[in-house]
Amino acid sequence: MKHVTLVVPDGEINLNSLAGAYEILTRADDYWQRIGNPPKLKVQIAGFVSELPVHQHYFAIHPGDIRQIKKTDLLIIPSLFGDYEELIRQNSNLIDWISRQYRDGAEIASMCSGAFLLAATGLLDDRLCSTHWNVVSEFHERFPRVRIAADKIITDENGIYTNGGGYSFLNLMLYLVEKIFDRPTAIFCSKIFQIDIERTTQSPFTIFHVQKSHGDDIISRAQQYIEDNIEEKISFEKLAIQLAISRRNFDRRFVKATGNTPVEYLQRVKIEAAKKELEKGRKTVFEVMSDVGYTDDKAFREVFKKITGLSPMDYRHRYSKAG
């Protein structure tokens, strides 16, 4: 029998991710037994705290004592809210416990921003990690050695699983169910809980947040120029000259400040503007393409799909207010 521990950190957590994981795993095991198999899971909810009020004290979790669990096969970290630095500080005992369990052979899964707690163990250094697209910048600043897979719903590397944001933890749970049980059991859970079993990317949900807190005045001016002229064909050679900086130095400082090359940044600004217009539903795809400075339909569609995971037409059908 496989032992699964849903860990309860000290701090504000997403109760839905904890309860949802418990419900899916126990329902999967119930189904497994109904079709003639012996029980396969023992699921416990445990932490160093005996009670944890959540969501403005409307709910409370009463976990078991994690110190009584000497060995687990899989531990799952729920999504977190709030000040991540403070959460890491006040959960040092739990972070040590997670590290020891991994060294003793346990697998680890983190949901959404639970990746902050997992990364604090050092186990994600030089490995792929997914987390909510909205905290990628903060995560990268805190854990620069972790290779962020910002567009992925799930990563799986050396017994460590991570997933993207919000309710995409449901996709992670189906993924784990399939690994623990089998594909038919995962399909059963996908039907019972009505979860799309094939979702692999969070790109369509990503909102591009412009990084301007870097303190580099020259790059801030460059960003502003790009945002004010998205319909124009921008020459970064000329822009660098206008800013009295070499092109090589300009590129280096731009990447350091924003996490994107100038070309990537321009593409993301254009596509974010295009998304907003497509969501309004009042213009054709061709009109939107022209508004953001593209003249080549094929190039626009390729860049749009690369960034969002959808074609412009599919994006409009899915998110248009008119449709």
Side-chain angles (χ1 to χ4, degrees):
M1 184 178 290
K2 195 178 188 74
H3 186 276
V4 180
T5 304
L6 300 173
V7 302
V8 179
D10 182 9
E12 186 70 14
I13 71 169
N14 184 333
L15 178 60
N16 295 318
S17 64
L18 191 71
Y22 182 86
E23 188 171 1
I24 291 172
L25 290 174
T26 54
R27 178 65 72 91
D29 200 42
D30 287 345
Y31 172 78
W32 183 253
Q33 293 177 62
R34 285 209 317 271
I35 61 176
N37 299 299
K40 199 161 190 176
L41 288 184
K42 179 182 180 181
V43 183
Q44 287 186 273
I45 299 176
F48 283 95
V49 292
S50 58
E51 181 183 43
L52 184 69
V54 293
H55 299 312
Q56 298 180 334
H57 292 245
Y58 281 113
F59 306 97
I61 304 167
H62 299 273
D65 187 349
I66 207 167
R67 287 163 291 202
Q68 302 301 314
I69 300 175
K70 302 305 178 186
K71 189 176 189 327
T72 192
D73 299 302
L74 170 66
L75 63 93
I76 300 176
I77 304 168
S79 177
L80 308 171
F81 299 125
D83 185 330
Y84 298 118
E85 183 174 355
E86 177 63 18
L87 283 164
I88 290 168
R89 185 194 63 76
Q90 65 193 35
N91 283 284
S92 57
N93 288 341
L94 181 57
I95 290 167
D96 291 341
W97 186 87
I98 291 170
S99 298
R100 288 196 305 272
Q101 290 297 324
Y102 185 74
R103 289 196 300 270
D104 289 343
E107 294 184 311
I108 305 174
S110 71
M111 301 175 181
C112 189
S113 52
F116 279 85
L117 205 64
L118 176 54
T121 65
L123 296 173
L124 285 176
D125 287 355
D126 304 313
R127 289 179 174 167
L128 281 175
C129 172
S130 183
T131 187
H132 197 293
W133 57 263
N134 199 34
V135 297
V136 164
S137 178
E138 182 178 353
F139 187 90
H140 178 67
E141 288 180 13
R142 188 174 298 281
F143 304 109
R145 289 189 58 185
V146 180
R147 295 157 50 215
I148 301 174
D151 64 323
K152 289 186 176 294
I153 291 290
I154 297 166
T155 67
D156 175 349
E157 192 173 359
N158 299 109
I160 296 179
Y161 312 95
T162 66
N163 92 279
Y167 280 81
S168 69
F169 78 86
L170 297 169
N171 300 95
L172 173 64
M173 296 316 301
L174 290 185
Y175 185 82
L176 294 175
V177 165
E178 183 170 352
K179 290 182 76 73
I180 295 168
F181 297 94
D182 57 15
R183 179 73 172 182
T185 305
I187 291 172
F188 168 79
C189 289
S190 77
K191 291 178 178 179
I192 288 294
F193 294 102
Q194 300 185 34
I195 307 165
D196 182 359
I197 197 169
E198 299 300 343
R199 263 188 64 203
T200 59
T201 178
Q202 58 179 335
S203 295
F205 308 104
T206 302
I207 300 171
F208 180 53
H209 288 293
V210 177
Q211 170 57 269
K212 290 187 175 177
S213 60
H214 45 72
D216 189 325
D217 181 60
I218 285 180
I219 300 306
S220 292
R221 287 159 56 196
Q223 289 175 272
Q224 194 62 53
Y225 180 85
I226 291 169
E227 292 158 30
D228 290 343
N229 295 276
I230 60 170
E231 73 285 355
E232 303 293 336
K233 187 173 182 179
I234 296 175
S235 166
F236 290 110
E237 288 285 352
K238 292 181 179 178
L239 181 56
I241 291 171
Q242 290 175 22
L243 296 169
I245 187 173
S246 72
R247 175 63 192 274
R248 183 176 179 182
N249 198 24
F250 174 71
D251 287 353
R252 180 186 62 79
R253 285 171 62 171
F254 203 102
V255 171
K256 182 180 179 182
T258 70
N260 294 282
T261 66
V263 172
E264 290 170 343
Y265 188 88
L266 175 60
Q267 289 177 339
R268 287 187 170 275
V269 170
K270 285 176 178 285
I271 297 307
E272 191 63 28
K275 284 164 57 182
K276 290 175 181 176
E277 286 301 315
L278 290 170
E279 287 164 16
K280 293 175 184 176
R282 291 194 289 266
K283 294 183 178 180
T284 66
V285 171
F286 181 80
E287 288 172 326
V288 171
M289 177 191 81
S290 300
D291 286 348
V292 298
Y294 278 93
T295 56
D296 186 331
D297 176 64
K298 182 181 178 182
F300 175 67
R301 285 187 283 107
E302 286 179 351
V303 173
F304 194 98
K305 188 162 187 176
K306 177 184 176 183
I307 291 175
T308 70
L310 298 170
S311 71
M313 188 63 73
D314 287 342
Y315 188 91
R316 184 183 181 187
H317 285 325
R318 185 176 296 190
Y319 297 110
S320 169
K321 295 176 182 177

